[in-house]
Amino acid sequence: METSEQKEKIRQYFDGSENWREKLYVDNSHPFNRLLTRRKEYAFTMLNAAPETKKGTALDVGCGPGDYVEESMKRGFETFAIDISTEMLNVCRMRLNIPDIVFQTHFKQADIENIPFNDQTFDVVICVGVLGLLTTDDKAVSEILRVLKPGGLLLLAVENIMSLSNIDYFLRDKICSLFKTDPSLKKDNYSGVAIPSTWWIPHNNGIHYKLYNPWKLNRLMSGKGFHLINSMTAGFEFRILRRMGILPETMLSKVEIGMEKLFRKSRLPYFSYSGQFYIGLFRKT
């Protein structure tokens, strides 16, 4: 798929998505809400642990309805944001009650491959759930590097193809590749870092979505001029048990949170990188 075609499909999808406007962030009964909430908590805990980020400027690329913008503002950052969807930007403005003058100067309709800010502007860039929607990673990572100040931090989150939750997707991808080949999904297009998938967005009108290998992603970022400071994975969805309804939801949630804490603290081979979402904190070298 051409980059321009993918971007237009993404813009249309998020312009028309009621779930992503706010519902997923406020509906505690939605299964994805649990993952989004914990991912944000872990991401900012990781960012807060870096002493050089107590103040300054932050840019959220792909801000959506402003969940990370809100947290960034609470922590004292002068926060800027871009999104490919004008509808998402409007929702962000209304949710956070952002004054018009601030919205006009700090919020822009743009995409990550064409960030409309000057070189070395930001102390922190937040990029959560965006890279997976791109046909390639190189230009986006280069743009992030450009707008970050020397020593600036990148808070990055992607979906982990190597997670326990995605093993079934991984196997299905391998099996399907034996029978059907889509030229736009050739692994050569992704430098071996990510595996393309079309399963993530139901009825997605052909939007391609990438799931990442965390170890290969770290090496890619290192080669682009970033140093890994901290990382973890989160999200252990017991999908089959939930569907069967054998165990209470509260028990499953406690087990998931316990696994996240255990695997992060113990750094067990593979298991510490086996959550559904990979979160990495990188410094511009």
Side-chain angles (χ1 to χ4, degrees), residues 1-42:
M1 179 187 296
E2 293 294 328
T3 297
S4 59
E5 181 184 357
Q6 170 83 345
K7 288 181 181 180
E8 178 58 22
K9 288 184 177 182
I10 291 168
R11 185 193 64 77
Q12 291 177 4
Y13 174 79
F14 284 101
D15 274 352
S17 174
E18 293 186 7
N19 276 339
W20 286 104
R21 287 192 187 110
E22 187 176 14
K23 184 177 180 181
L24 286 174
Y25 297 93
V26 298
D27 183 2
N28 295 331
S29 65
H30 196 287
F32 202 50
N33 175 270
R34 295 188 301 269
L35 298 177
L36 293 176
T37 300
R38 295 206 303 273
R39 182 178 66 178
K40 182 177 69 172
E41 175 188 341
Y42 295 139

Side-chain angles (χ1 to χ4, degrees), residues 6 22 32 55 70 73 104-105 119-120 123 141 155 171 185 187 191 209 226 238 258 270:
Q6 170 83 345
E22 187 176 14
F32 202 50
K55 59 181 179 179
E70 182 177 23
M73 288 177 169
Q104 291 169 8
T105 57
D119 297 358
Q120 300 183 11
D123 297 285
V141 175
L155 183 61
L171 293 176
L185 299 183
K187 292 182 180 179
S191 303
Y209 184 72
F226 287 96
F238 298 105
Y270 171 69

Side-chain angles (χ1 to χ4, degrees), residues 9 20 29 44-45 47 57 65-66 76-77 80 98 102 106 109 120 130 133 171 200 218 229 233 239 243 271 276 285:
K9 288 184 177 182
W20 286 104
S29 65
F44 277 100
T45 297
L47 185 61
T57 54
F77 290 102
F80 297 73
I98 297 172
V102 175
H106 287 54
Q109 193 277 326
Q120 300 183 11
V130 177
L133 292 167
L171 293 176
W200 179 66
N218 288 346
I229 298 174
T233 59
R239 296 188 180 113
R243 292 187 191 121
F271 288 101
Q276 184 172 347
T285 56

Side-chain angles (χ1 to χ4, degrees), residues 157-171:
V158 296
E159 189 163 358
N160 177 16
I161 189 60
M162 306 305 294
S163 74
L164 291 172
S165 298
N166 281 329
I167 284 177
D168 57 334
Y169 291 168
F170 180 80
L171 293 176

Side-chain angles (χ1 to χ4, degrees), residues 140-157:
V141 175
S142 295
E143 275 290 270
I144 291 172
L145 190 71
R146 178 183 67 79
V147 299
L148 268 176
K149 296 177 181 178
L153 298 180
L154 167 62
L155 183 61
L156 178 67

Side-chain angles (χ1 to χ4, degrees), residues 27-204:
D27 183 2
N28 295 331
S29 65
H30 196 287
F32 202 50
N33 175 270
R34 295 188 301 269
L35 298 177
L36 293 176
T37 300
R38 295 206 303 273
R39 182 178 66 178
K40 182 177 69 172
E41 175 188 341
Y42 295 139
F44 277 100
T45 297
M46 196 179 292
L47 185 61
N48 290 342
E52 62 268 50
T53 62
K54 298 306 180 185
K55 59 181 179 179
T57 54
L59 171 67
D60 186 352
V61 291
C63 66
D67 211 33
Y68 285 75
V69 170
E70 182 177 23
E71 291 299 322
S72 177
M73 288 177 169
K74 286 180 181 178
R75 284 159 173 77
F77 290 102
E78 182 182 4
T79 304
F80 297 73
I82 65 171
D83 200 283
I84 198 171
S85 165
T86 53
E87 181 64 26
M88 288 290 100
L89 288 170
N90 288 330
V91 169
C92 179
R93 178 182 60 177
M94 291 185 290
R95 280 189 65 239
L96 304 183
N97 195 27
I98 297 172
D100 287 344
I101 189 169
V102 175
F103 185 77
Q104 291 169 8
T105 57
H106 287 54
F107 292 77
K108 306 289 184 181
Q109 193 277 326
D111 67 81
I112 190 174
E113 295 184 331
N114 299 280
I115 299 176
F117 293 102
N118 293 332
D119 297 358
Q120 300 183 11
T121 299
F122 300 103
D123 297 285
V124 176
V125 170
I126 300 168
C127 179
V128 175
V130 177
L131 287 189
L133 292 167
L134 306 177
T135 54
T136 62
D137 301 316
D138 287 348
K139 190 173 181 181
V141 175
S142 295
E143 275 290 270
I144 291 172
L145 190 71
R146 178 183 67 79
V147 299
L148 268 176
K149 296 177 181 178
L153 298 180
L154 167 62
L155 183 61
L156 178 67
V158 296
E159 189 163 358
N160 177 16
I161 189 60
M162 306 305 294
S163 74
L164 291 172
S165 298
N166 281 329
I167 284 177
D168 57 334
Y169 291 168
F170 180 80
L171 293 176
R172 284 159 55 189
D173 180 87
K174 292 294 185 183
I175 294 171
C176 289
S177 68
L178 297 176
F179 301 97
K180 184 178 180 181
T181 300
D182 183 340
S184 68
L185 299 183
K186 287 183 179 179
K187 292 182 180 179
D188 291 344
N189 296 344
Y190 301 90
S191 303
V193 175
I195 293 178
S197 169
T198 56
W199 296 319
W200 179 66
I201 304 176
H203 312 297
N204 62 6

